[in-house]
Amino acid sequence: MEVDTIFRSEESASSPFAFNASVAAVFDDMLKRSVPLYREALDLQMKLADRFYLPGTRIYDLGCSHGNFGVGFLEAAGDRDFSMVAVDNSKPMLEIYEKRLSVRRGSGRIQLCCEDITTIPMEKASVVVMNLTLQFLPLAMRDEIIGRVFNALVPGGILLLTEKVVHGDAFLADIQQESYYGFKAANGYSSLEISRKREALENVLVPETLEDHHKRLGKAGFSMVEIYLKWFHFTSFLAVKEKK
Ligand SMILES: C[S@@+](CC[C@H](N)C(=O)[O-])C[C@H]1O[C@@H](n2cnc3c(N)ncnc32)[C@H](O)[C@@H]1O
Ligand SMILES: O=C(O)C(=O)C[C@]1(C(=O)O)C=C[C@@H](O)C=C1
């Protein structure tokens, strides 16, 4: 696994964070060291996706990066039939994803799509995964996409949404941030690397509160919402489209 040294260089802070080739190359190390419970969240997403998937429908992985969810799901599925559409607008990420699929049996069950998730058509979905993706969309586009996800889901279908959230109370937001930066420091990032990344993510990753997410999910039509994992900022929601 290539080590993430991106924010060791001075020039890294001067441009906004992007999912370019340098980030794609170190992505696994970056996520392991920057996202608490990343593995645990993925494992639960795979189990829930398997539990709710309905034959004849699709799984959409929106903002799939280089395929940790899809590759894991494929390996766990064995010979079982399923259909997944994995979407990302980062070419370098999808190139790695394609390579990972090319050495695996039955990978035709996953279709890669280099598109913007705000414009792709979606239909007949029983599972939609958005793992740390919605937070990168402009705020003004978030209601619309969650509404489209709801409409694309069959009754009984689910959205698995993981986001970096921020507490609405300034004191508790500080505690969240302190704990998070402690996590990064314990994983070997220097305070300079941490502050450069914070700058690069400004206005790129815009976190919202738990209340904002609950409100949006409710407005879209999801009446059943559970938080199945949480580590300060990092929050995983299961939203179910009720059967009529
Ligand atoms: C933090 S990563 C997601 C991690 C991934 N879901 C996982 O579980 O490993 C965010 C991804 O969203 C993608 N992304 C951001 N905005 C997008 C958009 N508008 N359309 C498509 N992909 C987008 C980025 O290219 C990036 O790969
Ligand atoms: O907020 C931060 O500092 C992060 O590093 C978070 C985060 C994310 O939540 O997606 C940002 C970018 C990278 O994809 C990995 C982690």
Side-chain angles (χ1 to χ4, degrees):
M1 195 190 302
E2 205 173 316
V3 177
D4 169 23
T5 58
I6 292 190
F7 290 95
R8 283 194 201 164
S9 77
E10 210 175 317
E11 65 269 24
S12 61
S14 54
S15 45
F17 185 86
F19 292 95
N20 54 28
S22 321
V23 168
V26 299
F27 191 66
D28 275 336
D29 182 62
M30 177 182 275
L31 264 73
K32 192 170 166 216
R33 292 164 63 213
S34 310
V35 179
L37 304 181
Y38 173 67
R39 249 300 123 197
E40 286 78 0
L42 269 182
D43 287 347
L44 282 166
Q45 281 156 26
M46 286 173 213
K47 288 201 173 78
L48 288 164
D50 186 49
R51 157 77 176 73
F52 283 90
Y53 180 70
L54 293 170
T57 67
R58 291 181 191 147
I59 300 170
Y60 285 88
D61 184 6
L62 305 181
C64 59
S65 295
H66 66 34
N68 284 340
F69 173 76
V71 168
F73 191 84
L74 178 68
E75 286 178 345
D79 290 331
R80 265 175 297 141
D81 197 26
F82 72 90
S83 168
M84 188 186 301
V85 181
V87 190
D88 207 289
N89 62 357
S90 163
K91 226 172 145 215
M93 284 291 190
L94 288 186
E95 278 166 10
I96 299 175
Y97 199 159
E98 206 166 4
K99 273 197 203 130
R100 295 177 79 185
L101 289 183
S102 69
V103 294
R104 285 174 165 86
R105 272 186 52 236
S107 59
R109 288 170 283 181
I110 303 181
Q111 181 198 333
L112 302 189
C113 242
C114 192
E115 299 279 353
D116 193 309
I117 59 167
T118 60
T119 56
I120 50 139
M122 288 182 277
E123 57 172 8
K124 276 209 301 197
S126 53
V127 179
V128 177
V129 181
M130 294 184 86
N131 196 22
L132 302 167
T133 303
L134 187 69
Q135 59 191 19
F136 291 104
L137 298 187
L139 279 172
M141 294 181 122
R142 296 184 188 180
D143 284 2
E144 202 264 343
I145 190 162
I146 296 299
R148 280 198 306 112
V149 165
F150 183 83
N151 291 335
L153 284 169
V154 298
I158 58 166
L159 165 64
L160 295 167
L161 175 71
T162 297
E163 285 278 291
K164 184 179 181 188
V165 305
V166 67
H167 206 285
D169 176 86
F171 175 75
L172 290 175
D174 281 350
I175 298 292
Q176 284 184 318
Q177 193 181 63
E178 190 182 299
S179 309
Y180 182 42
Y181 290 171
F183 172 87
K184 284 193 174 190
N187 284 328
Y189 288 117
S190 69
S191 43
L192 199 54
E193 284 177 283
I194 294 170
S195 68
R196 281 178 181 149
K197 189 166 188 191
R198 189 191 58 225
E199 267 176 60
L201 281 170
E202 203 123 328
N203 301 317
V204 174
L205 188 174
V206 181
E208 296 174 279
T209 64
L210 272 187
E211 293 72 28
D212 291 332
H213 285 292
H214 278 296
K215 219 165 115 191
R216 178 176 298 113
L217 291 167
K219 211 167 100 183
F222 291 104
S223 51
M224 292 194 282
V225 178
E226 158 77 333
I227 290 174
Y228 64 88
L229 201 67
K230 194 166 188 320
W231 193 104
F232 284 113
H233 290 307
F234 292 87
T235 308
S236 296
F237 303 86
L238 162 69
V240 185
K241 178 166 177 170
E242 255 180 287
K243 290 181 187 159
K244 294 267 156 52

